[in-house]
Amino acid sequence: CFALPSPQLVIKLKTKTNTDYFLECCSREERDSWALDITGAIHAGHPGQVQELHRKKNSFKLLENISLHHIVERMCDSSTGIKLTRNLEQGSRYKETFTGSALVDWLISNSFAVSRFEAVTLASMLMEENFIKPVGARSTEATRYSDISEQFLDDSTALYMFAESSKKNTISKQELQFNISELSGTIVKQGFLMKQGHKRKNWKVRRFVLRADPAFLHYYDPTKEENRPVGGFSLRGCLVSALEDNGVPAGVKGNVQGNLFKIITKKDIHYYIQASSKAERAQWIEAIKPLT
């Protein structure tokens, strides 16, 4: 007997004569590594492109001007957007859907992501922010995982569709209760970081703004057009420190890629944050420490 290949671990190669080859890997990491190396071999005559590919391997850093709204608008474009099709799953027929692997392919081909890992992370954000939603048993079942990185499936059998556009992102009264004075300080540093939620322990990309006089750190939801913070705290009496990358500390769950640092407020609230690199983590810590 033999086991059927997992669609999540398959690499598809298309030759100039439109012949398709499918190669199965042992793990997602091996799949991404082979895909990157094959792409590098294709561009072997261009050393600069190969070097750039390897520099980006296993890295994920959002562009400063990233907008999930913009990505969805591009996805909906009638000529260059993602192709919507009818799909059948377990006897149920769904209209205007797309597969997880199709979305990953589209994000990469439109330069929103470099690797499949990046594309899955971005697709997870789109689902988390209710721009897309799972359809059918295969993709819906995956949403039960506690780790958000496992909730979106890079799979040709997992179906997704656009969420209802009428659903609006509402802002709670608690989010509006920011004192004007704490937002009036001089901006010292700002940029995108990943923050772990306090309840679900999932990771979300947030735009952080560090202010002095008074010293506050606020974070904003990049998917919302309103320029209001969704959270923030005073830095007075806080402790900030880098976390070692050779182990996941207690209290941290989910998609941890390293470059972690922690901020403990005066009220003993712990914030876990991920930077895109060790250098960026060091820059944030150095900027925050003088303000504590």
Side-chain angles (χ1 to χ4, degrees), residues 26-252:
C26 296
S27 66
R28 291 179 181 233
E29 292 75 15
E30 185 182 51
R31 177 200 62 190
D32 288 346
S33 179
W34 271 103
L36 187 78
D37 290 338
I38 291 172
T39 305
I42 294 172
H43 297 290
H46 306 278
Q49 293 185 17
V50 177
Q51 184 178 6
E52 181 67 10
L53 283 168
H54 283 276
R55 185 186 69 81
K56 292 181 177 180
K57 181 178 181 180
N58 295 328
S59 67
F60 181 63
K61 182 177 181 180
L62 288 173
L63 298 174
E64 291 294 314
N65 60 347
I66 191 172
S67 168
L68 296 184
H69 288 280
H70 173 64
I71 294 176
V72 173
E73 287 177 0
R74 289 279 301 276
M75 288 175 64
C76 294
D77 189 278
S78 57
S79 58
T80 60
I82 191 167
K83 186 178 180 180
L84 302 178
T85 59
R86 292 186 178 187
N87 284 282
L88 185 68
E89 184 191 86
Q90 296 181 350
S92 299
R93 187 177 296 276
Y94 301 99
K95 297 180 180 179
E96 297 187 334
T97 61
F98 47 88
T99 66
S101 57
L103 177 54
V104 169
D105 291 338
W106 185 89
L107 289 169
I108 293 174
S109 64
N110 284 271
S111 302
F112 288 113
V114 174
S115 65
R116 300 194 78 80
F117 167 75
E118 286 189 11
V120 168
T121 304
L122 200 51
S124 299
M125 291 169 55
L126 290 171
M127 189 169 66
E128 178 72 10
E129 300 298 340
N130 200 45
F131 287 106
I132 64 174
K133 64 180 182 180
V135 178
R138 180 80 176 90
S139 56
T140 302
E141 180 69 23
T143 61
R144 298 179 182 180
Y145 289 110
S146 60
D147 188 346
I148 189 174
S149 65
E150 299 176 355
Q151 293 180 10
F152 179 87
L153 300 177
D154 178 6
D155 194 318
S156 60
T157 64
L159 302 181
Y160 298 88
M161 67 185 302
F162 291 109
E164 295 179 8
S165 58
S166 59
K167 184 172 182 179
K168 298 180 181 179
N169 292 324
T170 58
I171 300 176
S172 67
K173 292 182 179 180
Q174 183 178 1
E175 292 173 332
L176 294 174
Q177 293 175 349
F178 287 100
N179 193 310
I180 295 177
S181 63
E182 70 183 62
L183 297 172
S184 63
T186 303
I187 295 179
V188 176
K189 184 175 177 60
Q190 59 181 317
F192 289 97
L193 298 165
M194 293 188 73
K195 171 189 167 294
Q196 181 178 256
H198 290 291
K199 293 182 179 179
R200 294 184 60 190
K201 303 299 182 183
N202 56 342
W203 292 91
K204 289 187 177 182
V205 174
R206 293 291 180 249
R207 179 172 65 88
F208 280 79
V209 177
L210 177 63
R211 292 181 172 90
D213 300 323
F216 275 84
L217 183 63
H218 294 98
Y219 46 94
Y220 299 72
D221 186 343
T223 67
K224 295 180 180 179
E225 297 180 358
E226 298 88 352
N227 191 29
R228 295 187 183 92
V230 295
F233 51 90
S234 170
L235 290 173
R236 295 302 179 191
C238 286
L239 297 175
V240 57
S241 60
L243 298 177
E244 296 298 329
D245 294 336
N246 57 357
V248 179
V252 176

Side-chain angles (χ1 to χ4, degrees), residues 240-243 260-261 280-290:
V240 57
S241 60
L243 298 177
L260 280 166
F261 65 98
E280 185 180 46
R281 176 177 65 180
Q283 292 171 5
W284 274 98
I285 292 175
E286 290 174 3
I288 292 172
K289 275 187 175 180

